[in-house]
Amino acid sequence: EVQLVQSGPEVKKPGESLKISCKGSGYSFTSYWIGWVRQMPGKGLEWVGIIYPGDSHTRYSPSFQGQVTIAADRSISTAYLQWSSLKASDTALYYCARHGGIVGATDPLDYWGQGTLVTVSS
Amino acid sequence: QSVLTQPPSVSGAPGQRVTISCTGSSSNIGALYDVHWYKQLPGRAPQLLIYGNNNRPSGVPDRISGSKSGTSASLAITGLQAEDEADYYCQSYDSRLSVVFGGGTKLTVL
């Protein structure tokens, strides 16, 4: 069974750093792209970026380029989304999801993690 | 302002048919990129509902269907049931922006 299990909720102060994780199981983690999606409170879905764990190739949405870093450790089948300096506007629910095809960004997001709530407040 | 435009809300009575539109442009849906649809229940992660414009994953009933024409796509739900009440999102690929979502549509079952 394919599963993506995300790390728990985080409460941080503005300016702090943060890394959240997404562990894949039940499939070949290095063979499928993993995407990150943001959902701000009461709002819709926004694509953050994507990584191919096989070679750590990444692409970012222009809206998030330079604001976050996506990484992966294929030895433990885990993808990461990280911030070096959080802002209050980063407060949101962040989902990881698998692109279920061989191409990547054009493929549907067929399996989703449960989401990680990030709260940034002074 | 989302790249793909959806109506904020639609509603229908049990048993009725509803459709949700998703309007894009020549750099995404009109460029022949596939459209995918997701259903999100309150407090839950989105789940894939339709992929590749009109294909249903295993477990999705055949009263749910998708279509695409030109720069738009549609999701249709027939025989509306209480369990269909949720938020629905379309998603495609944009040659300039990469992965793009619609703003979401809240379906209310009256």
Side-chain angles (χ1 to χ4, degrees):
Chain A
E1 179 196 5
V2 174
Q3 281 194 309
L4 295 171
V5 179
Q6 298 186 230
S7 49
E10 302 275 0
V11 180
K12 292 288 190 179
K13 290 182 166 40
E16 292 187 331
S17 63
L18 175 65
K19 180 192 278 191
I20 62 175
S21 66
C22 168
K23 183 173 177 60
S25 62
Y27 73 102
S28 175
F29 185 74
T30 55
S31 300
Y32 292 85
W33 292 76
I34 291 283
W36 286 93
V37 176
R38 181 176 81 173
Q39 188 167 37
M40 299 179 79
K43 301 298 184 183
L45 306 174
E46 300 173 272
W47 186 72
V48 175
I50 193 172
I51 187 165
Y52 186 69
D55 60 9
S56 289
H57 182 71
T58 55
R59 293 174 62 184
Y60 295 90
S61 161
S63 300
F64 291 90
Q65 179 80 48
Q67 308 304 308
V68 297
T69 301
I70 296 172
D73 184 339
R74 58 187 185 182
S75 70
I76 54 172
S77 300
T78 300
Y80 301 96
L81 178 63
Q82 55 191 33
W83 296 258
S84 59
S85 180
L86 286 160
K87 310 184 210 33
S89 57
D90 293 318
T91 295
L93 191 54
Y94 292 86
Y95 293 103
C96 65
R98 188 186 82 162
H99 282 271
I102 61 172
V103 177
T106 58
D107 294 316
L109 294 157
D110 60 355
Y111 289 91
W112 293 67
Q114 82 276 21
T116 295
L117 180 62
V118 174
T119 303
V120 184
S121 174
S122 54
Chain B
Q1 190 84 359
S2 301
V3 174
L4 304 179
T5 301
Q6 299 179 234
S9 62
V10 297
S11 62
Q16 284 191 332
R17 178 180 187 268
V18 296
T19 61
I20 299 173
S21 61
C22 174
T23 303
S25 68
S26 59
S27 61
N28 42 69
I29 298 175
L32 303 182
Y33 291 114
D34 284 343
V35 177
H36 317 299
W37 291 89
Y38 304 88
K39 174 183 179 181
Q40 186 178 32
L41 293 167
R44 304 293 299 273
Q47 60 182 103
L48 182 63
L49 199 62
I50 293 287
Y51 67 94
N53 306 316
N54 55 14
N55 300 288
R56 287 183 302 275
S58 169
V60 174
D62 60 7
R63 60 187 184 83
I64 293 173
S65 62
S67 64
K68 175 185 154 184
S69 178
T71 58
S72 295
S74 287
L75 177 73
I77 305 175
T78 60
L80 205 56
Q81 300 177 6
E83 66 197 46
D84 297 324
E85 188 159 294
D87 293 325
Y88 292 83
Y89 295 90
C90 62
Q91 179 243 309
S92 186
Y93 182 86
D94 187 283
S95 57
R96 298 167 301 161
L97 301 169
S98 200
V99 178
V100 288
F101 285 99
T105 299
K106 182 176 181 58
L107 169 59
T108 300
V109 180
L110 301 171

